[in-house]
RNA sequence: GGACGGGUUCCCGAGUGGCUAAAGGGGGCAGACUGUAAAUCUGCUGGCGAACGCCUACGGAGGUUCGAAUCCUUCCCCGUCCA
């Protein structure tokens, strides 16, 4: 633990890699006061309950929160089960679907264990905001709403845009930032963390606290990690994310598919590499070394972080084996072939390699299907069991071992 | 409450009676090239069938017609303006 660090050094540490801090002076004061009173700060982080998987983008924020824990402070995780039912409008052009209680429950069950891959469970509070938000009466809601103006609410880029484009914007979505801010009031947040896109929401919390007679929370936002597509922010709904529970091989592969320009950014945001180490990578890149090598080191670092160094090494070797040397992977699903043989299209669909026969037929004509390294194109082909397993390959990365069986 | 405009395949968006599984773009997938990067080029992109074809699909339901995404009725939803 680094609890004994002088305040100025704590500030330096906490400022590393962040997007915005409001305000540094207030943070300094909080740390001083906490140090003198021997009382840990309450660092709030809202968790979206819309999906069960934590990805590297959110991990950026979680890792910052972990730093606070390492300095002796308390992480206060607010599970947005109530606000999840409303749907966070941030950055959306469309009204988000509202989640049911069952969905949220199912999501959260897996969430906890994932969070603790990064956070220290010892210094962590888990709160569901339905705990207090469900209890608000209409009077309470009006009371809350009275403390903020519509003009302030629709200042937001995304709201404004939707209004201008004539897209629907429901009143409940307008309420979302208020409720999220109210969470800060309820849990007496000293600091709130979030992604850069949450900046505006966090500010609302800050202002509401003042209106409820509290000291405003310090807010710290973290840069958004760009997804594997290299364009949009990493997000569950864009399908461009790397889950922290993704199996090593998958995690490795996804990271290898990011654009080269993102390599250093990923090192900074998603690994524990020091500035010096990252500078070295930067020099190797500009020195003309094949970015592939450096990206592979990145991928290994990240897999090591969430699995183990050994798993990272294996994933790396397997990757080279399959994609550089074009060898089949060591592990692949098996499909038992009955003695009379089965039509190739049946095999592909029944094994789940492709979703429909039409699709299988298409891939066959596209030359995407290989049997033991031989491209095949005959949709009539009957595959019979051999005395040794035969490997079926669909596209670049789908493999199946065909074995004798019934 | 009134007037008007709109709801199309994963997304955006064309399409106003048969030539429409529906232009175009995006995304995705596949092939070539590669470093499973990017860029580029090419192809594919509802399902079933070997195939003539059949089924499902243009907000929901019903109707007109030999034939409807396209016309009519009704319901639902969204937006704009007026009150």
């Amino acid at each position: 633990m680094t609890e004994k660090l002088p305040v100025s050094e704590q500030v330096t540490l906490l400022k590393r890699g962040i997007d915005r801090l409001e305000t540094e002076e207030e943070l300094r004061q909080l740390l001083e006061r906490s140090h003198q009173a021997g009382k840990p700060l309450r660092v709030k982080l809202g968790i979206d309950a819309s999906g069960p998987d934590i990805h590297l983008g959110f991990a950026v924020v979680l890792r910052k929160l972990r730093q606070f824990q390492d300095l002796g402070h308390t992480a206060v995780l607010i599970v947005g089960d109530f606000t999840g039912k409303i749907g966070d409008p941030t950055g959306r052009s469309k009204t988000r679907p509202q989640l049911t209680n069952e969905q949220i429950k199912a999501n959260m069950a897996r969430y906890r264990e994932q969070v603790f891959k990064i956070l220290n469970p010892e210094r962590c509070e888990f709160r569901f905001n339905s705990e207090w938000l469900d209890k608000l009466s209409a009077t309470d809601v009006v009371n809350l709403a009275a403390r903020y103006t519509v003009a302030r609410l629709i200042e937001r880029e995304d709201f404004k845009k939707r209004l201008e484009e004539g897209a629907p914007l429901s009143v409940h979505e307008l309420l979302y930032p208020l409720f999220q801010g109210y969470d800060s009031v309820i849990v007496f947040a000293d600091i709130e963390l979030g992604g850069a896109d949450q900046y505006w929401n966090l500010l609302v919390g800050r202002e509401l606290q003042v209106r409820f007679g509290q000291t405003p929370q310090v807010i710290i936002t973290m840069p958004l990690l760009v997804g594997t597509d290299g364009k949009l922010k990493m997000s569950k709904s864009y399908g461009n994310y790397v889950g922290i529970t993704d199996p090593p091989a998958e995690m490795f592969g996804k990271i290898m598919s990011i654009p080269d320009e993102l390599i250093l950014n990923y090192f900074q945001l998603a690994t524990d590499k020091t500035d010096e180490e990252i500078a070295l990578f930067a020099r190797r890149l500009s020195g003309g070394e094949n970015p592939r090598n450096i990206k592979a080191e990145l991928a290994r670092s990240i897999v090591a972080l969430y699995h183990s160094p050994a798993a990272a090494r294996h994933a790396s070797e397997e990757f080279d084996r399959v994609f550089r040397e074009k060898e089949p992977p060591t592990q692949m699903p098996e499909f038992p072939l009955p003695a009379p043989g089965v039509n190739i299209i049946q095999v592909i669909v029944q094994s789940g390699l492709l979703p429909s026969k039409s699709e299988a037929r298409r891939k066959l004509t596209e030359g995407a299907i290989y049997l033991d390294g031989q491209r095949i194109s005959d949709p009539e082909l009957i595959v019979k069991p051999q005395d040794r397993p035969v490997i079926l390959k669909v596209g670049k990365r789908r493999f199946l071992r065909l074995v004798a069986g019934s």
Side-chain angles (χ1 to χ4, degrees):
Chain A
M1 292 293 145
T2 39
E3 301 168 39
K4 302 286 188 275
L5 233 51
V7 166
S8 62
E9 283 182 38
Q10 290 189 33
V11 172
T12 309
L13 180 67
L14 292 170
K15 273 174 70 184
R16 270 201 57 203
I18 66 168
D19 169 58
R20 307 176 84 156
L21 164 61
E22 305 289 352
T23 63
E24 183 170 339
E25 187 43 40
E26 289 173 32
L27 175 64
R28 194 177 301 277
Q29 285 169 10
L30 280 177
L31 291 169
E32 292 284 4
R33 218 184 314 140
S34 160
H35 177 70
Q36 278 159 20
K39 205 178 147 210
L41 295 173
R42 300 175 59 72
V43 187
K44 175 194 168 197
L45 175 63
I47 292 184
D48 173 14
S50 69
D53 289 318
I54 292 179
H55 56 66
L56 292 183
F58 191 61
V60 173
V61 185
L62 282 174
R63 286 154 54 82
K64 179 56 70 179
L65 185 54
R66 174 66 199 235
Q67 271 188 347
F68 275 98
Q69 288 188 312
D70 288 346
L71 292 169
H73 304 295
T74 306
V76 182
L77 293 175
I78 310 289
V79 179
D81 63 335
F82 180 89
T83 33
K85 283 182 257 179
I86 296 179
D88 179 2
T90 302
R92 294 311 153 115
S93 51
K94 272 191 181 168
T95 304
R96 272 200 185 181
Q98 301 182 8
L99 298 170
T100 66
N101 284 328
E102 292 69 40
Q103 283 173 316
I104 290 169
K105 225 172 154 186
N107 289 345
M108 288 325 297
R110 286 195 56 213
Y111 219 108
R112 234 170 221 274
E113 53 180 291
Q114 293 190 32
V115 163
F116 292 139
K117 272 178 167 272
I118 297 174
L119 293 184
N120 175 358
E122 303 292 309
R123 292 173 181 164
C124 196
E125 264 179 43
F126 246 95
R127 307 284 293 272
F128 289 75
N129 65 5
S130 61
E131 183 193 324
W132 50 88
L133 293 180
D134 269 344
K135 293 200 183 83
L136 292 182
S137 69
T139 310
D140 296 329
V141 175
V142 170
N143 212 334
L144 174 62
R147 296 176 200 238
Y148 218 76
T149 66
V150 172
R152 291 284 278 130
L153 283 176
I154 59 174
E155 265 173 16
R156 290 170 57 139
E157 194 66 28
D158 42 19
F159 283 164
K160 214 190 301 176
K161 214 164 127 200
R162 276 161 68 175
L163 287 173
E164 277 164 12
E165 287 171 355
L169 174 62
S170 307
V171 174
H172 78 276
E173 295 179 86
L174 237 32
L175 253 24
Y176 180 89
L178 289 182
F179 288 136
Q180 187 174 306
Y182 187 62
D183 291 346
S184 292
V185 174
I186 292 292
V187 303
F188 295 98
D190 294 307
I191 299 172
E192 178 161 11
L193 296 185
D197 56 345
Q198 293 294 316
Y199 180 69
W200 195 91
N201 281 339
L202 306 194
L203 275 178
V204 175
R206 199 170 141 85
E207 294 188 30
L208 279 180
Q209 280 178 311
V210 172
R211 278 158 226 218
F212 278 92
Q214 296 184 8
T215 307
Q217 62 187 8
V218 164
I219 66 185
I220 296 178
T221 57
M222 299 301 293
L224 295 178
L225 189 68
V226 177
T228 51
D229 59 350
K231 291 173 197 142
L232 302 167
K233 73 160 180 168
M234 186 174 283
S235 152
K236 290 164 200 161
S237 44
Y238 298 145
N240 62 357
Y241 71 97
V242 182
I244 65 169
T245 53
D246 281 352
E250 197 179 330
M251 197 179 258
F252 194 95
K254 282 184 183 175
I255 292 161
M256 287 307 282
S257 78
I258 66 169
D260 293 349
E261 300 73 61
L262 255 36
I263 294 176
L264 293 175
N265 184 246
Y266 265 57
F267 266 121
Q268 274 151 4
L269 296 177
T271 73
D272 284 326
K273 298 292 180 203
T274 63
D275 291 347
E276 293 71 39
E277 289 172 305
I278 294 170
L280 189 62
F281 288 124
R283 236 173 297 139
R284 285 169 61 188
L285 278 171
S286 55
E289 182 170 347
N290 189 340
R292 201 215 84 96
N293 299 339
I294 295 151
K295 208 192 283 181
E297 287 188 46
L298 170 71
R300 276 194 295 272
S301 309
I302 293 174
V303 175
L305 212 52
Y306 296 105
H307 294 280
S308 69
R313 212 169 43 245
H314 289 144
S316 182
E317 284 163 8
E318 186 76 357
F319 184 87
D320 283 349
R321 178 182 155 84
V322 176
F323 297 109
R324 282 179 115 175
E325 291 152 30
K326 307 278 187 234
E327 293 290 319
T330 47
Q331 303 266 318
M332 66 188 105
E334 296 200 339
F335 186 85
L337 283 177
V342 185
N343 173 270
I344 183 68
I345 288 175
Q346 297 283 349
V347 173
I348 293 169
V349 175
Q350 279 172 23
S351 62
L353 286 185
L354 289 174
S356 75
K357 294 184 183 176
S358 302
E359 179 72 8
R361 232 172 252 121
R362 257 181 245 128
K363 288 288 162 280
L364 223 36
T365 59
E366 284 170 4
I369 309 217
Y370 293 82
L371 205 54
D372 260 352
Q374 290 274 309
R375 179 178 279 177
I376 54 170
S377 57
D378 178 14
E380 307 293 324
L381 185 71
I382 302 293
V383 200
K384 292 202 171 88
Q386 315 277 314
D387 29 334
R388 59 181 179 79
V390 173
I391 289 163
L392 176 67
K393 182 184 178 202
V394 175
K396 274 186 281 243
R397 57 183 121 176
R398 274 164 286 193
F399 294 89
L400 192 66
R401 195 194 310 273
L402 306 177
V403 298
S406 52

